[in-house]
Amino acid sequence: MTTPALLPLSGRRIPTLSPGTSSFPHHRATLRLSEKFILLLILSAFITLCFGAFFFLPDNSKHKRFDLGLEDVLIPHIDSPKEGKHPSGQVIIHGQGVHDEHRHREEEESLRDKIRADHERALQEAKEKLRKSREELQAEIQTEKNKLMEDLKKKDAGPKPLPPVPMPRVVGVSDGEPPEPDVKEKRDKIREMMKHAWDSYRQYGWGHNELKPLAKKGHSTNIFGNSQLGATIVDALDTLYIMGLHEEFKDGQEWIEQNLDFGVNAEVSVFEVNIRFIGGLLATYYLSGQEVFKMKAVQLAEKLLPAFNTPTGIPWAMVNLKSGVGRNWGWASAGSSILAEFGTLHMEFVHLTYLTGNPAYYQKVMHIRKLLAKMDRPNGLYPNYLNPRTGRWGQHHTSVGGLGDSFYEYLLKAWLMSDKTDTEARKTYDDAIEAIERHLIRKSNGGLTFIGEWKNGHLERKMGHLACFAGGMFALGADGSPDDKAGHYLQLGAEIAHTCHESYDRTVLKLGPEAFKFDSGLEAVAVRQNEKYYILRPEVIETYWYMWRFTHDPKYRQWGWEAAQAIDKYCRVSGGFSGVKDVYSSNPTYDDVQQSFFLAETLKYLYLLFSSDDLLPFESWVFNTEAHPLPVLHLGNITLPGSEPAQR
Ligand code: DMJ
């Protein structure tokens, strides 16, 4: 038997027709005025009928009504020691003599009075409703609608105030002026290049994701979906901060405060948005201490979380920021997610958990790590493709360049960022690099060390510009490598830096091609036309900078300066900087794109190369794969929400 249901309508409590309409309150705001009228009319008719019937029936029939079991619908139970309950739910009143009979009548009478009073009140309320004008009722409905909208807005208003957490050590966030005047001059030149890139974007592409420096208008690519999220502003801010370009920084901050909204219907790359936006915002927050950057990073991170709703927890490559629907790139092998994409989230996500106290971010990336650890690896190598539905590898293609690169980088950096406590990450990195050395790294006939690509058991003797970052990675990972192989890895880093420098030096423009071969007598040169472009990429300069920090060999500054001059000479146009389509042509054509990573990475690494080492020292900072510096978290003293104690 169900108890009488009393459901709210317009803030009042009146009996419903059916106790089975428990979902009614959720729909009430959507009831139209006419429906509400009809409901009220039926309701009042029903109450009048019950009320009349109750009084017009003879007295003994009223007693019978109790025995019919209808009391559960009409009268609330009053349990007393004198009453028992039949399994059917009926109240059974035991004969207890005249005294009991009398008392029972009194109770019955008082119940009847109560019912009468309740019904009269309900009737009165219903009549009042009907007396109200259409306008009054409309106003009432509107008030309810507004309240509902308010509640929804509050729900959607983004994260609540974040818990205070100890600020990690943020040292060396500015200055870094080199003592040598000629180095300072070079550094000033890089700063001027940054200003030209920024001012051009400010003038012609403001608010767009990127800039077309020849057409002098905004530009975007599919990694940002159909959005205008000011990618260049977010990506460039920390570089502006480090270079002391305060006015420009303030301008960017204002744009972010007033315009950066992630509730847009755009399908974006989870990886790109993570490394450029979340990484950029977090780094800028730590450098400047301005809360707005942290809040924006957290708002955006929440929008990325639905991408992890796959059968395996391996995220989709893309997610719609509004709907949360995810999918993978059409070109990826067998509907797979990409190793370098789902494997390049750790640094930012650990910081998100640290700053918000929300374990979800940390758990998502640790889940990926655990899943990978359980999988068989062909020849100890990680294929670039993994299907998020089946949890099986796609094509057996392994590379340290595109599709694989930053997965390895983030293993090493997870360890460094945890103040070297995340030894699981370090071990995974060491094992992966060991397999890469065995199968992918070779010396050319001319003595150049290169990193090839492994495709279904076959080594392709081709190295991408993207793989040139690995020189810096090997040097960064040298300290702490197993079997005291620090010297070996520093040497390997130097060899990769040398090879990549050769790939620049063997071109007409002194800028490196997208990919170069070590085959059929060819050494470090591009063969196919579609591999001859340079799109302002940072990886070679990145490696020069790491090698400079670890060795202080002046050749790295020399090589960096050569690259900076070539960029300024061949890529600079009046509307900013553009990529070039053929580095082997003395008369190159432009691709007309100023990539956001040019400001985030290329110019930042150049600036750091000509700064002293106390600007963003490695003891306190780890750079994400988009060159956004994140502070080392001393996790030995902190337990991240959601982390197991066995993390160390
Ligand atoms: C950057 O967005 C990042 O460095 C990423 O890891 C791969 N490469 C591009 C720039 O070349």
Side-chain angles (χ1 to χ4, degrees):
M1 280 286 207
T2 42
T3 50
L6 291 168
L7 298 171
L9 184 73
S10 298
R12 293 159 204 251
R13 288 164 72 80
I14 59 169
T16 58
L17 291 175
S18 151
T21 54
S22 61
S23 63
F24 178 56
H26 304 295
H27 299 310
R28 68 188 168 163
T30 56
L31 271 184
R32 283 202 313 268
L33 194 61
S34 55
E35 288 168 339
K36 211 161 188 180
F37 264 119
I38 292 164
L39 186 68
L40 284 168
L41 277 171
I42 296 169
L43 203 63
S44 63
F46 177 74
I47 292 164
T48 315
L49 213 92
C50 294
F51 200 55
F54 186 80
F55 280 100
F56 288 116
L57 281 172
D59 262 2
N60 58 347
S61 320
K62 289 176 201 165
H63 281 287
K64 266 188 202 148
R65 280 166 54 84
F66 286 95
D67 293 339
L68 284 169
L70 293 173
E71 73 283 359
D72 270 11
V73 179
L74 293 169
I75 304 176
H77 286 140
I78 299 174
D79 290 328
S80 83
K82 303 282 168 355
E83 292 172 4
K85 206 171 178 186
H86 188 271
S88 72
Q90 287 180 10
V91 178
I92 300 161
I93 304 166
H94 305 290
Q96 303 275 325
V98 182
H99 185 70
D100 280 2
E101 179 80 356
H102 182 71
R103 218 185 55 174
H104 176 67
R105 281 234 182 82
E106 275 179 358
E107 277 173 3
E108 212 178 86
E109 193 53 45
S110 92
L111 274 173
R112 211 173 287 136
D113 287 347
K114 191 176 173 304
I115 292 167
R116 203 176 292 133
D118 279 354
H119 284 188
E120 265 169 12
R121 200 173 49 247
L123 197 60
Q124 196 52 36
E125 281 182 8
K127 275 184 185 164
E128 269 171 31
K129 280 256 174 231
L130 288 171
R131 259 202 302 274
K132 281 188 181 161
S133 70
R134 200 182 174 82
E135 286 70 34
E136 279 176 300
L137 283 169
Q138 256 170 344
E140 261 184 32
I141 293 166
Q142 193 53 48
T143 316
E144 273 192 51
K145 271 189 186 167
N146 291 347
K147 198 177 157 294
L148 201 82
M149 291 303 287
E150 275 304 307
D151 292 350
L152 283 175
K153 257 197 223 153
K154 267 185 219 154
K155 252 183 154 184
D156 224 35
K160 293 179 208 79
L162 299 173
V165 288
M167 191 70 164
R169 239 158 45 93
V170 282
V171 296
V173 299
S174 56
D175 202 14
E177 189 169 299
E180 311 90 338
D182 61 317
V183 179
K184 188 181 169 317
E185 212 176 290
K186 290 182 174 114
R187 191 170 95 132
D188 288 347
K189 173 64 192 167
I190 305 300
R191 194 168 177 272
E192 184 279 325
M193 288 168 71
M194 178 69 184
K195 209 169 143 37
H196 178 61
W198 174 265
D199 288 347
S200 303
Y201 167 77
R202 176 77 183 84
Q203 189 174 355
Y204 307 117
W206 195 235
H208 289 267
N209 289 319
E210 291 176 322
L211 167 70
K212 283 176 101 55
L214 286 114
K216 297 189 174 169
K217 60 180 194 186
H219 171 261
S220 198
T221 64
N222 63 341
I223 58 171
F224 306 117
N226 177 29
S227 75
Q228 258 196 45
L229 292 169
T232 296
I233 303 176
V234 184
D235 227 4
L237 266 191
D238 59 356
T239 310
L240 294 173
Y241 188 91
I242 293 160
M243 293 184 176
L245 291 166
H246 302 301
E247 279 309 305
E248 291 77 1
F249 180 85
K250 220 177 94 217
D251 232 10
Q253 175 169 352
E254 258 167 42
W255 186 89
I256 285 176
E257 277 163 356
Q258 290 160 20
N259 301 289
L260 190 53
D261 172 19
F262 302 116
V264 289
N265 185 10
E267 196 179 46
V268 300
S269 154
V270 174
F271 158 77
E272 297 287 358
V273 161
N274 177 58
I275 64 169
R276 299 187 198 213
F277 283 78
I278 296 186
L281 289 164
L282 289 177
T284 310
Y285 162 66
Y286 283 119
L287 293 170
S288 70
Q290 298 289 320
E291 289 283 312
V292 58
F293 301 119
K294 176 171 69 173
M295 296 307 286
K296 293 284 177 186
V298 175
Q299 281 169 17
L300 176 55
E302 281 177 4
K303 301 271 181 193
L304 296 189
L305 285 179
F308 292 79
N309 295 336
T310 63
T312 56
I314 295 291
W316 299 115
M318 284 174 283
V319 72
N320 184 303
L321 291 177
K322 196 171 195 116
S323 67
V325 174
R327 72 182 173 101
N328 274 345
W329 304 111
W331 49 261
S333 156
S336 292
S337 300
I338 308 294
L339 183 69
E341 299 198 331
F342 64 77
T344 310
L345 304 165
H346 191 98
M347 293 180 68
E348 296 80 5
F349 275 43
V350 166
H351 271 280
L352 286 166
T353 285
Y354 179 75
L355 291 171
T356 61
N358 178 358
Y361 304 106
Y362 180 75
Q363 285 166 345
K364 302 271 180 232
V365 287
M366 289 308 280
H367 175 79
I368 295 174
R369 187 191 284 180
K370 287 204 181 87
L371 193 136
L372 288 178
K374 278 193 238 144
M375 294 188 66
D376 278 341
R377 296 193 302 280
N379 298 301
L381 297 167
Y382 289 88
N384 289 335
Y385 301 102
L386 179 60
N387 188 310
R389 292 183 203 275
T390 62
R392 282 202 280 274
W393 298 120
Q395 187 199 355
H396 285 191
H397 171 206
T398 299
S399 64
V400 181
L403 307 179
D405 47 9
S406 43
F407 163 69
Y408 307 100
E409 176 186 357
Y410 268 37
L411 290 174
L412 174 65
K413 290 181 175 176
W415 174 68
L416 290 167
M417 205 185 77
S418 70
D419 197 20
K420 302 185 180 173
T421 59
D422 186 355
T423 49
E424 183 181 78
R426 174 78 216 205
K427 170 91 174 73
T428 314
Y429 168 79
D430 289 331
D431 291 348
I433 297 303
E434 206 242 322
I436 282 166
E437 261 204 278
R438 198 157 4 107
H439 298 290
L440 271 68
I441 299 185
R442 294 285 181 272
K443 235 183 191 100
S444 70
N445 293 340
L448 295 177
T449 303
F450 68 94
I451 311 174
E453 303 206 359
W454 186 258
K455 282 190 181 157
N456 298 321
H458 166 76
L459 182 73
E460 204 181 335
R461 295 168 69 89
K462 182 174 94 173
M463 182 168 175
H465 191 288
L466 288 164
C468 286
F469 92 97
M473 177 178 75
F474 294 141
L476 185 64
D479 185 26
S481 52
D483 310 323
D484 205 15
K485 282 167 82 179
H488 166 75
Y489 283 111
L490 199 59
Q491 173 62 20
L492 186 58
E495 287 175 20
I496 298 298
H498 173 61
T499 300
C500 292
H501 176 251
E502 286 301 307
S503 79
Y504 273 50
D505 208 39
R506 296 176 188 201
T507 70
V508 173
L509 303 188
K510 304 293 171 200
L511 291 169
E514 180 67 4
F516 39 96
K517 290 241 159 97
F518 299 86
D519 222 353
S520 327
L522 292 172
E523 301 261 325
V525 289
V527 178
R528 291 162 59 165
Q529 192 56 38
N530 65 0
E531 291 170 343
K532 294 181 178 173
Y533 60 86
Y534 172 69
I535 56 166
L536 306 169
R537 285 200 192 277
E539 291 78 17
V540 176
I541 295 167
E542 174 181 351
T543 278
Y544 295 161
W545 173 58
Y546 278 102
M547 291 310 301
W548 163 256
R549 276 263 171 116
F550 288 114
T551 65
H552 284 168
D553 185 331
K555 76 177 176 211
Y556 295 116
R557 274 188 168 165
Q558 177 52 36
W559 291 352
W561 185 237
E562 282 168 14
Q565 283 177 302
I567 290 170
D568 203 46
K569 186 164 173 191
Y570 298 111
C571 301
R572 188 181 184 127
V573 292
S574 69
F577 288 87
S578 167
V580 289
K581 289 187 182 161
D582 187 348
V583 290
Y584 300 95
S585 161
S586 53
N587 190 17
T589 47
Y590 298 109
D591 69 0
D592 198 13
V593 181
Q594 179 175 284
Q595 307 275 351
S596 79
F597 54 67
F598 179 62
L599 294 88
E601 298 190 74
T602 313
L603 292 172
K604 189 188 282 137
Y605 287 133
L606 279 169
Y607 187 78
L608 289 166
L609 182 62
F610 300 111
S611 298
S612 55
D613 293 357
D614 54 0
L615 181 58
L616 300 170
F618 286 155
E619 295 73 44
S620 304
W621 297 93
V622 186
F623 287 72
N624 90 338
T625 192
E626 187 80 359
H628 296 305
L630 296 174
V632 169
L633 292 174
H634 297 277
L635 293 179
N637 313 322
I638 299 164
T639 307
L640 280 177
S643 66
E644 293 98 353
Q647 193 210 356
R648 293 184 58 115

